[in-house]
Amino acid sequence: FLDITGRNDWSSTLPVNNNSYFYPSVSASVLLNELIDLGAARNVVNFVKLRGSFAQVGHDTQPYRTTDYLSSSDFAGNYQIPGTMNNANLRPEIVSSWEVGLDLRMFRNRLGVDLAYYNNTSKDLIVNMPVSSASGVTKRFANAGTIRNYGWELQINGTLIKTRDVQWKAYVNWSKNRNEVVDLGEGVDSWIVASYSSHAYMTAYKGGSLSAMYGLGYKRAPEGAYIVEKDGSITNVSGQIIVDENGYPQYSDELQYIGECTPDWKGGFGTSVKWKGLTVSVAFDGQHGGNVYSYTNAVLGTRGKGSFTLAGRYDGLVLDGVNQLPDGNFIRNTHKTADIVEYYGLAYAFQNCEQNFVSTEFLKLREIRIAYEFPRQLLARSKFIKGLSLSVYGRNLYCWSKFPGWDP
């Protein structure tokens, strides 16, 4: 099978010389089970389809971004230059995507597998770029950057038991997505995708991801640092937190890479059992990995409301770290925190992005449902009711997570 489509759009929000963009797409598929004997007669492999597609889509922008306008000021009869400069040469954003997949059904269609790989590339992104304030503005609309998203999607479903009165079905789905900053644009070193005050920045660098977190964190012993133990042995302490004479951790003065916000993968699973007209089903979903800067975690820590602040509340703490001597060498930390309240105030301070960078990993009991479908013979005398079912369900019933405060 082969499908080819084409479409062209013109947008009034783009400059006249750049307001046209074309939408091509091509998709193809082949049924292998019709070309090759894969055991259909024995009901081993009933259906095998390979598919592939390519499509390109254009995006315009919001109105009034191609011509500069003066705005009125607080003084009568006066006007001022807006803080953002528009661009008379904007081009449409172009997203090119392709996908390949496999659809497999086996054992009288009681087992199904759907596997796909996708790759999307967005270029000429219309962004609000920072510029030198010496130009009279602080930002400027421009086409800049190329972003790539790619990943896998898998779904498996099966009928485990199938009789006249009983059916037992189950499914599993899984997905993994990654993004890469291929290019940031001429003269651009980084993008701040999102931020919280001056504490946490989701910053994109060329070759990195859009969801990399940067911020202030602990000051640590440099690579190759070591301590000499009492027995004369040498222990590598590279990366360990440096603790001062009051037993408090020290902070780095520069922004550092904290971690990745995007989860490693997402998934779900569920099952349903049907006995005559009664069906009971359960569904779970969740994600593995993933992090976020949590203001809630900072509040719970600095105010002593989080359960994690119970440690050392009565007799102080000796942190796992090292002390730096005046000559630059290190020894194992032996200082107890001088004031536990002050320690938690420092450790979970809002500006400590590293300590407040918490996991969003979770497993959730998404739904439990009980349904009953009334037999048709009970409805045979009704001229209006052809089918009737009664359901009781609950959603978001429980969440297993270490995320502080609420549902991640």
Side-chain angles (χ1 to χ4, degrees):
F1 300 92
L2 178 65
D3 290 326
I4 300 176
T5 66
R7 166 182 165 181
N8 200 90
D9 276 5
W10 290 264
S11 174
S12 62
T13 64
L14 293 170
V16 175
N17 56 330
N18 291 329
N19 68 352
S20 174
Y21 41 94
F22 184 58
Y23 289 66
S25 72
V26 179
S27 63
S29 63
V30 57
L31 300 178
L32 291 183
N33 57 291
E34 294 187 0
L35 302 176
I36 306 173
D37 183 9
L38 298 173
R42 300 185 302 275
N43 283 308
V44 177
V45 178
N46 305 104
F47 181 85
V48 181
K49 180 171 76 172
L50 294 177
R51 65 182 187 273
S53 64
F54 171 81
Q56 195 171 78
V57 179
H59 297 287
D60 59 5
T61 186
Q62 296 181 17
Y64 312 117
R65 287 184 173 179
T66 59
T67 305
D68 289 319
Y69 304 90
L70 297 177
S71 59
S72 59
S73 71
D74 295 333
F75 298 96
N78 288 278
Y79 298 88
Q80 61 185 8
I81 299 174
T84 299
M85 181 183 294
N86 293 320
N87 190 338
N89 297 309
L90 284 180
R91 301 183 301 276
E93 297 180 358
I94 300 297
V95 180
S96 302
S97 59
W98 60 268
E99 179 179 317
V100 293
L102 167 68
D103 189 355
L104 173 66
R105 301 173 198 170
M106 303 175 64
F107 311 123
R108 298 181 186 270
N109 296 319
R110 292 179 61 171
L111 175 64
V113 178
D114 193 331
L115 176 65
Y117 175 81
Y118 61 89
N119 191 311
N120 305 327
T121 301
S122 304
K123 68 176 183 178
D124 287 339
L125 300 174
I126 299 176
V127 294
N128 205 359
M129 301 293 296
V131 296
S132 171
S133 57
S135 62
V137 296
T138 56
K139 293 183 179 180
R140 179 177 183 269
F141 287 110
N143 292 100
T146 301
I147 307 297
R148 174 176 172 244
N149 277 280
Y150 57 97
W152 293 88
E153 294 179 344
L154 173 66
Q155 181 168 328
I156 302 174
N157 57 78
T159 302
L160 306 180
I161 296 176
K162 186 176 183 180
T163 66
R164 180 179 177 180
D165 294 330
V166 179
Q167 290 187 23
W168 179 17
K169 297 181 179 181
Y171 72 88
V172 175
N173 59 62
W174 174 89
S175 65
K176 182 183 182 73
N177 179 75
R178 289 292 176 269
N179 63 76
E180 177 188 2
V181 180
V182 179
D183 183 50
L184 288 173
E186 184 178 355
V188 180
D189 297 324
S190 64
W191 285 348
I192 297 178
V193 180
S195 65
Y196 174 73
S197 186
S198 59
H199 312 326
Y201 299 89
M202 194 178 292
T203 308
Y205 292 94
K206 184 176 181 180
S209 78
L210 288 172
S211 51
M213 182 66 72
Y214 292 82
L216 297 178
Y218 292 117
K219 187 175 181 180
R220 298 177 180 273
E223 186 67 29
Y226 65 90
I227 61 174
V228 179
E229 304 286 2
K230 293 181 178 180
D231 60 1
S233 61
I234 295 177
T235 301
N236 189 311
V237 294
S238 303
Q240 290 198 20
I241 297 174
I242 298 177
V243 182
D244 64 18
E245 64 276 8
N246 292 316
Y248 303 147
Q250 296 187 20
Y251 294 112
S252 172
D253 297 327
E254 299 181 354
L255 294 178
Q256 55 186 313
Y257 173 71
I258 303 298
E260 179 64 37
C261 296
T262 301
D264 298 330
W265 52 264
K266 295 183 176 182
F269 60 94
T271 185
S272 65
V273 178
K274 181 178 182 181
W275 176 68
K276 295 185 177 181
L278 181 66
T279 302
V280 179
S281 61
V282 181
F284 294 84
D285 64 55
Q287 69 180 35
H288 180 266
N291 296 274
V292 69
Y293 171 82
S294 173
Y295 182 86
T296 299
N297 194 68
V299 171
L300 293 174
T302 55
R303 298 184 181 181
K305 301 299 184 180
S307 59
F308 48 81
T309 63
L310 292 174
R313 181 165 293 191
Y314 301 106
D315 53 1
L317 288 173
V318 177
L319 301 182
D320 186 15
V322 294
N323 306 128
Q324 188 169 19
L325 301 175
D327 60 4
N329 290 319
F330 295 92
I331 59 173
R332 193 172 300 281
N333 174 51
T334 57
H335 298 297
K336 181 180 289 188
T337 50
D339 186 316
I340 197 64
V341 174
E342 185 175 357
Y343 160 70
Y344 280 112
L346 290 170
Y348 289 88
F350 303 130
Q351 62 267 30
N352 189 354
C353 181
E354 180 179 348
Q355 184 66 55
N356 295 305
F357 192 62
V358 299
S359 172
T360 54
E361 185 173 308
F362 72 92
L363 174 64
K364 180 176 292 186
L365 177 53
R366 181 64 68 180
E367 181 179 274
I368 296 179
R369 178 183 293 267
I370 301 174
Y372 181 73
E373 184 177 356
F374 290 87
R376 292 191 175 183
Q377 53 267 32
L378 293 180
L379 308 174
R381 296 182 180 181
S382 173
K383 296 181 180 180
F384 306 101
I385 302 176
K386 302 300 181 182
L388 179 63
S389 63
L390 177 65
S391 300
V392 178
Y393 66 91
R395 290 185 57 83
N396 300 323
L397 298 175
Y398 195 80
C399 184
W400 294 267
S401 176
K402 295 181 180 179
F403 190 76
W406 71 87
D407 189 334

